[in-house]
Amino acid sequence: MKKLILTIALCGMGVLAFAQEAVRFRPEFSFRDIRAEYGVYTAAGVKDAPLNRTFTLSYTANFWGPMAYKAGVQGMFPGFDYGMHVGIPLAIAYRPGIRSLGNSLLTAAEMSISDTVLNGYYGTTDRIGSDILANFIMALFRRSEYYVGLTPGLYSGTFNGLTADEYGQFSLTLDVGLVLSIPIWHFSLNIHPAYHYGLAGYPIQAGNLRRSMFSIAGGIGWLF
């Protein structure tokens, strides 16, 4: 009986602690997060360029006000014309903070009024509904992150008759990107577009070496 009472008491304390944490934590208090993202990576400016699937796991932490550092690991399958590519994204980021939901919705309402007036003035009233919807959807993305960094990586395997040794396995890109997030308690839903410029070990796509690449990914994060 004592063991049963003790077990119930411990479970009750655990539930109470979890409930208190759920009430106490707000995304605005988060200075660190872990993200898992899935997306595509391709050569920029190439018509019908094949899409390379990517999976990225990253960690970001503020170290001085809105400034943060980012580090992670990324796998690409296939790695352009190679079997795969593994990279280590490293970056410095600027994170201006999380806007309150009230302010976000107020901004969306103001933009919607402005869009309605402009659409009426220019005779594009058929766009009023879609513009208002887009404004309020974007209002949900209350957290933003801007970053610049480097991704050293390694090509491996064979694909389309090419070997990684043929052009060198090592790669290095300069990365500039934006992460837009919808924070929900400890979680965040993220959209992550980025531009990549090859500094070394340029990938091959459509039979030519490529310097300019573009990627877009989506995923989920844990804020703490």
Side-chain angles (χ1 to χ4, degrees), residues 146-158:
Y146 312 88
Y147 71 87
V148 60
L150 298 170
T151 300
L154 190 69
Y155 293 104
S156 66
T158 59

PDB file of all heavy atoms in Angstrom, residues 146-158:
ATOM      1  N   TYR A 146      18.209  35.396 -39.651  1.00  0.00           N
ATOM      2  CA  TYR A 146      18.991  35.696 -40.847  1.00  0.00           C
ATOM      3  C   TYR A 146      20.435  35.264 -40.567  1.00  0.00           C
ATOM      4  O   TYR A 146      20.975  35.598 -39.507  1.00  0.00           O
ATOM      5  CB  TYR A 146      18.944  37.191 -41.162  1.00  0.00           C
ATOM      6  CG  TYR A 146      17.544  37.764 -41.135  1.00  0.00           C
ATOM      7  CD1 TYR A 146      16.987  38.239 -39.945  1.00  0.00           C
ATOM      8  CD2 TYR A 146      16.771  37.813 -42.290  1.00  0.00           C
ATOM      9  CE1 TYR A 146      15.701  38.750 -39.907  1.00  0.00           C
ATOM     10  CE2 TYR A 146      15.486  38.329 -42.262  1.00  0.00           C
ATOM     11  CZ  TYR A 146      14.961  38.790 -41.069  1.00  0.00           C
ATOM     12  OH  TYR A 146      13.682  39.292 -41.041  1.00  0.00           O
ATOM     13  N   TYR A 147      21.046  34.560 -41.496  1.00  0.00           N
ATOM     14  CA  TYR A 147      22.375  34.049 -41.184  1.00  0.00           C
ATOM     15  C   TYR A 147      23.291  34.047 -42.399  1.00  0.00           C
ATOM     16  O   TYR A 147      22.862  34.081 -43.554  1.00  0.00           O
ATOM     17  CB  TYR A 147      22.284  32.627 -40.613  1.00  0.00           C
ATOM     18  CG  TYR A 147      21.897  31.571 -41.619  1.00  0.00           C
ATOM     19  CD1 TYR A 147      22.854  30.931 -42.414  1.00  0.00           C
ATOM     20  CD2 TYR A 147      20.564  31.197 -41.786  1.00  0.00           C
ATOM     21  CE1 TYR A 147      22.498  29.969 -43.337  1.00  0.00           C
ATOM     22  CE2 TYR A 147      20.199  30.231 -42.710  1.00  0.00           C
ATOM     23  CZ  TYR A 147      21.180  29.618 -43.477  1.00  0.00           C
ATOM     24  OH  TYR A 147      20.824  28.669 -44.408  1.00  0.00           O
ATOM     25  N   VAL A 148      24.588  33.993 -42.123  1.00  0.00           N
ATOM     26  CA  VAL A 148      25.620  33.802 -43.139  1.00  0.00           C
ATOM     27  C   VAL A 148      26.638  32.828 -42.563  1.00  0.00           C
ATOM     28  O   VAL A 148      26.953  32.888 -41.365  1.00  0.00           O
ATOM     29  CB  VAL A 148      26.277  35.154 -43.529  1.00  0.00           C
ATOM     30  CG1 VAL A 148      26.927  35.807 -42.321  1.00  0.00           C
ATOM     31  CG2 VAL A 148      27.307  34.948 -44.635  1.00  0.00           C
ATOM     32  N   GLY A 149      27.127  31.925 -43.399  1.00  0.00           N
ATOM     33  CA  GLY A 149      28.051  30.927 -42.878  1.00  0.00           C
ATOM     34  C   GLY A 149      28.733  30.135 -43.964  1.00  0.00           C
ATOM     35  O   GLY A 149      28.645  30.447 -45.160  1.00  0.00           O
ATOM     36  N   LEU A 150      29.411  29.086 -43.542  1.00  0.00           N
ATOM     37  CA  LEU A 150      30.146  28.184 -44.429  1.00  0.00           C
ATOM     38  C   LEU A 150      29.720  26.752 -44.164  1.00  0.00           C
ATOM     39  O   LEU A 150      29.383  26.392 -43.028  1.00  0.00           O
ATOM     40  CB  LEU A 150      31.656  28.311 -44.198  1.00  0.00           C
ATOM     41  CG  LEU A 150      32.304  29.669 -44.477  1.00  0.00           C
ATOM     42  CD1 LEU A 150      33.733  29.668 -43.968  1.00  0.00           C
ATOM     43  CD2 LEU A 150      32.268  29.989 -45.970  1.00  0.00           C
ATOM     44  N   THR A 151      29.749  25.951 -45.228  1.00  0.00           N
ATOM     45  CA  THR A 151      29.464  24.523 -45.085  1.00  0.00           C
ATOM     46  C   THR A 151      30.571  23.716 -45.733  1.00  0.00           C
ATOM     47  O   THR A 151      30.590  23.543 -46.963  1.00  0.00           O
ATOM     48  CB  THR A 151      28.113  24.142 -45.724  1.00  0.00           C
ATOM     49  OG1 THR A 151      27.060  24.864 -45.090  1.00  0.00           O
ATOM     50  CG2 THR A 151      27.846  22.645 -45.553  1.00  0.00           C
ATOM     51  N   PRO A 152      31.537  23.229 -44.951  1.00  0.00           N
ATOM     52  CA  PRO A 152      32.495  22.269 -45.495  1.00  0.00           C
ATOM     53  C   PRO A 152      31.814  20.914 -45.633  1.00  0.00           C
ATOM     54  O   PRO A 152      30.937  20.561 -44.822  1.00  0.00           O
ATOM     55  CB  PRO A 152      33.608  22.238 -44.443  1.00  0.00           C
ATOM     56  CG  PRO A 152      32.926  22.639 -43.172  1.00  0.00           C
ATOM     57  CD  PRO A 152      31.814  23.585 -43.561  1.00  0.00           C
ATOM     58  N   GLY A 153      32.172  20.177 -46.678  1.00  0.00           N
ATOM     59  CA  GLY A 153      31.504  18.898 -46.901  1.00  0.00           C
ATOM     60  C   GLY A 153      32.346  17.927 -47.672  1.00  0.00           C
ATOM     61  O   GLY A 153      33.500  18.205 -48.055  1.00  0.00           O
ATOM     62  N   LEU A 154      31.762  16.772 -47.928  1.00  0.00           N
ATOM     63  CA  LEU A 154      32.482  15.684 -48.597  1.00  0.00           C
ATOM     64  C   LEU A 154      31.530  14.941 -49.516  1.00  0.00           C
ATOM     65  O   LEU A 154      30.454  14.516 -49.086  1.00  0.00           O
ATOM     66  CB  LEU A 154      33.039  14.726 -47.539  1.00  0.00           C
ATOM     67  CG  LEU A 154      34.020  13.668 -48.024  1.00  0.00           C
ATOM     68  CD1 LEU A 154      35.342  14.315 -48.439  1.00  0.00           C
ATOM     69  CD2 LEU A 154      34.263  12.635 -46.924  1.00  0.00           C
ATOM     70  N   TYR A 155      31.907  14.817 -50.793  1.00  0.00           N
ATOM     71  CA  TYR A 155      31.159  13.992 -51.738  1.00  0.00           C
ATOM     72  C   TYR A 155      31.670  12.565 -51.640  1.00  0.00           C
ATOM     73  O   TYR A 155      32.863  12.336 -51.419  1.00  0.00           O
ATOM     74  CB  TYR A 155      31.352  14.476 -53.175  1.00  0.00           C
ATOM     75  CG  TYR A 155      30.749  15.814 -53.464  1.00  0.00           C
ATOM     76  CD1 TYR A 155      31.547  16.945 -53.568  1.00  0.00           C
ATOM     77  CD2 TYR A 155      29.375  15.961 -53.644  1.00  0.00           C
ATOM     78  CE1 TYR A 155      31.001  18.194 -53.837  1.00  0.00           C
ATOM     79  CE2 TYR A 155      28.822  17.197 -53.916  1.00  0.00           C
ATOM     80  CZ  TYR A 155      29.635  18.306 -54.010  1.00  0.00           C
ATOM     81  OH  TYR A 155      29.088  19.528 -54.270  1.00  0.00           O
ATOM     82  N   SER A 156      30.777  11.610 -51.852  1.00  0.00           N
ATOM     83  CA  SER A 156      31.203  10.209 -51.834  1.00  0.00           C
ATOM     84  C   SER A 156      30.290   9.389 -52.721  1.00  0.00           C
ATOM     85  O   SER A 156      29.213   9.819 -53.112  1.00  0.00           O
ATOM     86  CB  SER A 156      31.189   9.658 -50.402  1.00  0.00           C
ATOM     87  OG  SER A 156      29.859   9.618 -49.907  1.00  0.00           O
ATOM     88  N   GLY A 157      30.745   8.197 -53.020  1.00  0.00           N
ATOM     89  CA  GLY A 157      29.968   7.289 -53.853  1.00  0.00           C
ATOM     90  C   GLY A 157      30.058   7.642 -55.324  1.00  0.00           C
ATOM     91  O   GLY A 157      30.764   8.557 -55.731  1.00  0.00           O
ATOM     92  N   THR A 158      29.353   6.899 -56.138  1.00  0.00           N
ATOM     93  CA  THR A 158      29.326   7.138 -57.580  1.00  0.00           C
ATOM     94  C   THR A 158      27.887   7.322 -58.030  1.00  0.00           C
ATOM     95  O   THR A 158      26.956   6.789 -57.447  1.00  0.00           O
ATOM     96  CB  THR A 158      29.947   5.966 -58.348  1.00  0.00           C
ATOM     97  OG1 THR A 158      29.207   4.776 -58.045  1.00  0.00           O
ATOM     98  CG2 THR A 158      31.407   5.766 -57.963  1.00  0.00           C
TER      99      THR A 158
END
